[in-house]
């Protein structure tokens, strides 16, 4: 059971309402994670600002972003995020089997994506530290240094969602990812 109220647009604090409307329109429905984040307008609007910047200034494709998010959500063992990012990853062109592998932190089906995902996981796990070998492997796979910074930003953004879901026990309102309980 969630520790905080899960708001709809009408019950949310005034400072959260416009952002909730935008997220609802973008996702096709109001997800519980956003309804919960709305309880703190600072959190919801901060998340939406980061999400907007990662979309507006992206050099990574939606598939790349969802791969990173799946890898971090799997590492964090967040069932909500693994489920949501599986759905988003499939919409971005990943197969279900690929989403499962990505949740484990690798992408054997694509060498460049594997280097990016491993970079993001190491940066996340190392609290920003990556080895020179990991950095170089990503560069050798064709990624630019600005894209590695963007990958790090996507990992940090995903920590926000996974951490939030663990903190407040968000109820899953999307189809469960393969292998996870509902």
């Amino acid at each position: 059971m969630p520790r905080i109220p899960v708001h709809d647009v009408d019950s949310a604090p005034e400072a959260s309402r416009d952002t909730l409307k935008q997220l609802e329109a973008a996702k096709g429905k109001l997800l519980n994670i956003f309804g919960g984040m709305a309880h703190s307008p600072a959190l919801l609007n901060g998340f939406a600002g980061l999400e907007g910047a990662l979309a507006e200034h992206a050099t990574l494709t939606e598939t790349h972003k969802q791969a990173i998010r799946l890898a971090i959500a799997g590492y964090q063992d967040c069932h909500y995020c693994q489920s949501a990012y599986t759905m988003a990853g499939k919409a971005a062109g990943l197969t279900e089997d690929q989403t499962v592998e990505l949740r484990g932190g690798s992408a054997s089906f694509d060498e460049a994506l594997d280097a990016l995902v491993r970079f993001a996981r190491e940066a996340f796990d190392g609290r920003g530290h990556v080895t020179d070998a990991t950095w170089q492997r990503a560069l050798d796979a064709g990624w630019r240094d600005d894209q590695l910074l963007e990958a790090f930003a996507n990992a940090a953004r995903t920590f926000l969602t996974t951490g939030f879901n663990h903190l407040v026990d968000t109820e899953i309102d999307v189809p469960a990812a393969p292998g996870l309980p509902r």
Side-chain angles (χ1 to χ4, degrees), residues 129-172:
H129 297 278
V130 296
T131 64
D132 289 340
T134 298
W135 186 278
Q136 190 60 52
R137 178 176 181 242
L139 294 175
D140 290 346
W143 300 105
R144 299 185 317 265
D145 55 4
D146 64 312
Q147 290 176 308
L148 298 182
L149 298 178
E150 187 178 332
F152 176 73
N154 273 280
R157 170 241 179 255
T158 305
F159 175 74
L160 179 62
T161 61
T162 60
F164 174 80
N165 289 322
H166 288 307
L167 183 68
V168 303
D169 198 20
T170 306
E171 184 178 331
I172 297 176

Side-chain angles (χ1 to χ4, degrees), residues 20-35 80 87 171-175 182:
L20 272 185
K21 288 176 191 173
Q22 292 167 3
L23 289 166
E24 182 176 33
K27 304 297 181 189
K29 74 175 198 171
L30 185 56
L31 298 174
N32 284 343
I33 185 173
F34 303 133
Y80 189 99
M87 190 171 67
E171 184 178 331
I172 297 176
D173 57 346
V174 296
R182 180 76 172 127

Side-chain angles (χ1 to χ4, degrees), residues 2 9 28 49 60 73 88 90 101 104 115 118-119 147 164 166 172 174-175:
V9 173
L60 300 176
K90 288 165 66 174
E101 183 179 348
R118 288 178 186 274
F119 169 85
Q147 290 176 308
F164 174 80
H166 288 307
I172 297 176
V174 296

Side-chain angles (χ1 to χ4, degrees), residues 67-79:
I68 292 164
R69 293 169 186 177
L70 281 160
I72 301 302
Y75 182 78
Q76 286 290 99
D77 195 30
C78 177
H79 291 187

